[in-house]
Amino acid sequence: MVWSDPLLRHKTSPMKHAVTIAGGGLAGLSLGIALRMRGVPVTLHEAGTYPRHRVCGEFISGVTDSTLETLGIAEDFLTATSLTSAVWHDTRGRVCELQVAGRGISRWRLDDALQRRFTTLGGTLATHSRIAPAPGTIWAAGRPRRHGPWIGLKCHATNLPLSHDLEMHLGSNGYIGLAPIEDGKVNICGLFKKSPTRGAKGTSLLTTILREGGLHDTADRLESATLDSSAFCGVAGFETGRQPSEGFSIGDATHMIPPFTGNGMSMAFESAETALPHALSYARGECSWDSASSSCAADLENRFRARMLASAAIHTLLTSPKASRLATTLARSSLLPIQPLLHLLR
Ligand SMILES: Cc1cc2nc3c(=O)[nH]c(=O)nc-3n(C[C@H](O)[C@H](O)[C@H](O)COP(=O)(O)OP(=O)(O)OC[C@H]3O[C@@H](n4cnc5c(N)ncnc54)[C@H](O)[C@@H]3O)c2cc1C
């Protein structure tokens, strides 16, 4: 089936250019794999190494089987946990239940599987290699450093029973999601407003922030669970939304959708899928680097514009105390069309 893909006509068309990719996260690795499958020489530079934990809810929603097959990575999701039910809580308790269509898999496992696939296909991977933007380099280096108001925290836990496949808890200072991944573990990941006054560190920072935001029940549950401190990580200094990127960029480097959507990983894969024909045309010598970059940027904008606008509006609603109180009140009375709103985010 794969060989009927018209993008695979490299069998008869030799490559004129190799491709360099900066960033071995989901966008960079999946594009690298897709290009290798089509015979393009690819060198990928990754600032870190594998396997490694990353701040991420590890709840993937919105990506289609067709995108995963085009990129050649569908097999890497066979062990992902299927997630279908969700519940939304705030500090006053349960708000509503939702249907979702997601998959749970840790970045520890997923990124490692992708880098293995890339190198098995003959890709050249340089780890601990941080490079600068340059013509001829596809920029997949993730969210750029900015002065954003957020801190993202993540940890894994065992002995943490969940009421639904995905639990979202909205506090007065942000939100946290709990979702199963592999081996009976639960991923705990939240986005919170930064505060200069917090003294706590490590996993106790998570429970401190939850209590500050009024989510005492959730904090109690985390304190009773077995937290894996080796999986704890945090990130700050970013803003969600359209990023000030230039050149040939994909993934969070161009569009960082707010995390509550569970769609960022999907967008990383979708952006690789969108970039693929442009990178391939450049590699075959059918277009210049500048032309490949600008057509890819235009296609990404068309693909993501609507969901970026919808998600920004809902993010503001959720993270502004007055607006979120109104939203949860309406949702409790079934006056907020939540399922249709969720469709806008895909
Ligand atoms: C708090 C939080 C929760 C989230 N929860 C979810 C969720 O539940 N579901 C979901 O779908 N998405 C979620 N996301 C978003 C998701 O993690 C990202 O959208 C996704 O990781 C983007 O993939 P990427 O490949 O673009 O970037 P990344 O995965 O960030 O990869 C970029 C890579 O580039 C490397 N790099 C950086 N600079 C350089 C350089 N100069 N040279 C070489 N390498 C470099 C980095 O080391 C990194 O490995 C969440 C994000 C946050 C912050």
Side-chain angles (χ1 to χ4, degrees):
M1 188 185 81
V2 164
W3 298 106
S4 66
D5 180 345
L7 293 172
L8 291 176
R9 67 192 151 83
H10 74 273
K11 297 257 159 205
T12 54
S13 59
M15 298 299 155
K16 294 236 168 48
H17 302 290
V19 168
T20 301
I21 299 176
L26 304 180
L29 283 169
S30 60
L31 179 60
I33 290 166
L35 288 169
R36 279 306 306 141
M37 284 173 57
R38 291 156 178 89
V40 179
V42 183
T43 300
L44 193 155
H45 295 265
E46 163 53 42
T49 188
Y50 308 93
R52 81 279 206 247
H53 293 290
R54 296 194 59 81
V55 176
C56 184
E58 303 182 339
F59 173 85
I60 309 179
S61 166
V63 71
T64 63
D65 291 342
S66 155
T67 296
L68 297 179
E69 276 157 22
T70 300
L71 295 171
I73 58 173
E75 260 182 46
D76 298 310
F77 289 85
L78 294 178
T79 59
T81 309
S82 167
L83 309 172
T84 56
S85 65
V87 65
W88 175 17
H89 289 266
D90 69 0
T91 54
R92 296 175 286 168
R94 177 178 298 208
V95 175
C96 64
E97 294 183 351
L98 300 163
Q99 289 170 345
V100 291
R103 310 172 209 232
I105 183 169
S106 70
R107 296 293 299 268
W108 177 275
R109 179 172 285 190
L110 180 59
D111 291 37
D112 195 45
L114 296 178
Q115 66 94 9
R116 282 170 199 272
R117 185 172 293 282
F118 175 67
T119 50
T120 302
L121 285 165
T124 304
L125 177 64
T127 53
H128 298 299
S129 176
R130 182 178 291 277
I131 60 170
T137 296
I138 296 177
W139 195 250
R143 46 191 175 254
R145 282 204 72 75
R146 298 173 74 185
H147 291 290
W150 305 108
I151 176 172
L153 297 174
K154 115 58 183 290
C155 188
H156 289 165
T158 48
N159 304 322
L160 180 57
L162 302 182
S163 67
H164 294 67
D165 292 339
L166 170 67
E167 291 184 19
M168 287 294 291
H169 299 266
L170 179 65
S172 61
N173 57 355
Y175 50 82
I176 192 160
L178 315 179
I181 45 167
E182 62 271 7
D183 304 330
K185 287 185 276 189
V186 169
N187 181 290
I188 303 161
C189 185
L191 186 79
F192 306 98
K193 294 203 175 111
K194 280 197 287 196
S195 155
T197 55
R198 290 177 191 131
K201 287 202 175 120
T203 52
S204 64
L205 178 58
L206 256 176
T207 46
T208 301
I209 292 184
L210 289 174
R211 291 193 190 286
E212 277 174 16
L215 294 172
H216 297 285
D217 289 351
T218 316
D220 290 344
R221 286 170 65 203
L222 297 200
E223 280 167 357
S224 306
T226 310
L227 299 183
D228 174 4
S229 56
S230 70
F232 177 81
C233 43
V235 65
F238 61 91
E239 275 185 34
T240 59
R242 181 81 176 78
Q243 304 297 317
S245 58
E246 285 175 20
F248 200 143
S249 306
I250 56 173
D252 274 7
T254 62
H255 296 84
M256 187 188 170
I257 197 163
F260 78 90
T261 58
N263 193 238
M265 289 190 275
S266 176
M267 282 179 60
F269 294 132
E270 290 176 65
S271 69
E273 183 183 39
T274 299
L276 180 58
H278 303 293
L280 215 40
S281 291
Y282 166 73
R284 288 180 181 141
E286 295 165 357
C287 70
S288 68
W289 178 256
D290 286 347
S291 151
S293 309
S294 56
S295 8
C296 179
D299 286 354
L300 288 175
E301 201 54 34
N302 282 337
R303 188 163 188 170
F304 296 143
R305 186 185 298 116
R307 79 180 91 162
M308 292 303 288
L309 283 172
S311 60
I314 300 174
H315 180 76
T316 307
L317 191 73
L318 291 178
T319 55
S320 124
K322 276 190 189 153
S324 74
R325 201 167 176 86
L326 176 65
T328 50
T329 303
L330 291 173
R332 276 196 172 87
S333 322
S334 306
L335 293 172
L336 197 66
I338 297 185
Q339 287 298 156
L341 282 175
L342 279 182
H343 282 292
L344 293 176
L345 305 174
R346 303 283 178 267

